[in-house]
Amino acid sequence: MRNGAYARDASTTRDVEPSRLQQWWVLTSRSILPTLRNGELVTQIAASIMFTVGFYIPLKKIGMYATDMSSYAQYLMPLIALQAVSFAAISGAFRSASDAVAGINRRFRAMPISRFVPLASRLTASMYRCTVALVISLICGYVIGFRFYNGVGGTVGFCLLALAIGLVLSLLGEVVGTVARNPDATTHMMMLPQLIFGLLSVGVQSAEAFPSWIQGFVRNQPISQFVYALRALAGDSTPYAGETGWATIGPAIAWIVGLLAVLMMAYAFTSSEKVKK
């Protein structure tokens, strides 16, 4: 009878569907907890400070000639926040590539886990990093003179938009890391374009300060549209930060929605290709 009872219990255990929420939590903890003891969290904090110092101190005197806003800190803060969040997203891309190389993704596919649970857990961990980076960058911004002028709504909108951009970059890192399967190459593939787009944007100086042949690109590329929206949400004591209307914020939201749709399709395609192989 004991053998029969054991067999029934085993059969019942096999029939129980694992909770996707529990799977997500376990895999998310696997990605977050090591950052508390391997120095990764300290690196995220140091990077946010480095971006503030590296952009503000060398460019302050030059940049003040390119803006009519109350201070260059107010003008520069959106780019500092974006660079800090993008660096945090690169860490997620590195982990994605590392999991692909180590065969972790292949092991997950052999287990009763939804294909998107590992993705959701890595994105959650990446958003945790992005949140830390954003908080530290805002603290650094306050030190150099940045302030929010549009009340609670503008402050919340600024933070949510910055984190939404971080989500896009994190998903991009997932796609790049899964395809490249090379952690070192993935880091460079993510970092160099973001630095180039950041410097060729209105985050450092106005589009009119660039040569005429590149002003159209500078003005309309996604980083500039993100900067326009973040700057308007933060506001200023002068009227030169931009209006918080659809004309200013709409293009940034359109870029985010469009990129998320394309990247989700790309991730689904690359994942299915991996399964076939």
Side-chain angles (χ1 to χ4, degrees), residues 2-177:
R2 277 184 293 183
N3 289 339
Y6 177 79
R8 286 194 300 273
D9 291 342
S11 176
T12 302
T13 302
R14 285 194 298 269
D15 292 338
V16 173
E17 286 289 334
S19 167
R20 291 187 180 183
L21 181 61
Q22 186 175 13
Q23 292 171 348
W24 164 81
W25 176 250
V26 171
L27 294 180
T28 300
S29 300
R30 164 185 170 268
S31 299
I32 291 178
L33 292 178
T35 66
L36 303 177
R37 52 179 187 270
N38 63 7
E40 184 177 344
L41 185 61
V42 176
T43 302
Q44 297 293 338
I45 295 173
S48 298
I49 298 172
M50 177 192 69
F51 286 125
T52 305
V53 173
F55 280 116
Y56 181 71
I57 294 178
L59 300 175
K60 178 182 178 181
K61 290 185 178 180
I62 299 174
M64 281 306 299
Y65 294 104
T67 176
D68 293 320
M69 294 178 65
S70 60
S71 69
Y72 191 56
Q74 201 71 21
Y75 187 88
L76 187 64
M77 186 62 218
L79 184 62
I80 293 174
L82 288 178
Q83 290 296 329
V85 167
S86 69
F87 184 82
I90 289 172
S91 300
F94 183 88
R95 180 171 290 277
S96 176
S98 300
D99 285 352
V101 171
I104 301 297
N105 294 340
R106 192 182 311 113
R107 189 179 306 170
F108 285 153
R109 289 197 294 271
M111 300 172 66
I113 300 176
S114 169
R115 183 172 61 179
F116 290 99
V117 167
L119 171 65
S121 66
R122 285 195 294 263
L123 287 180
T124 303
S126 186
M127 294 309 296
Y128 150 77
R129 298 185 187 94
C130 289
T131 301
V132 172
L134 178 61
V135 170
I136 299 302
S137 67
L138 289 176
I139 292 173
C140 293
Y142 263 68
V143 171
I144 63 175
F146 167 78
R147 297 293 184 270
F148 284 108
Y149 286 89
N150 283 336
V152 176
T155 303
V156 172
F158 182 101
C159 295
L160 289 179
L161 183 59
L163 292 178
I165 296 166
L167 178 62
V168 171
L169 295 175
S170 299
L171 186 54
L172 174 63
E174 283 290 323
V175 174
V176 173

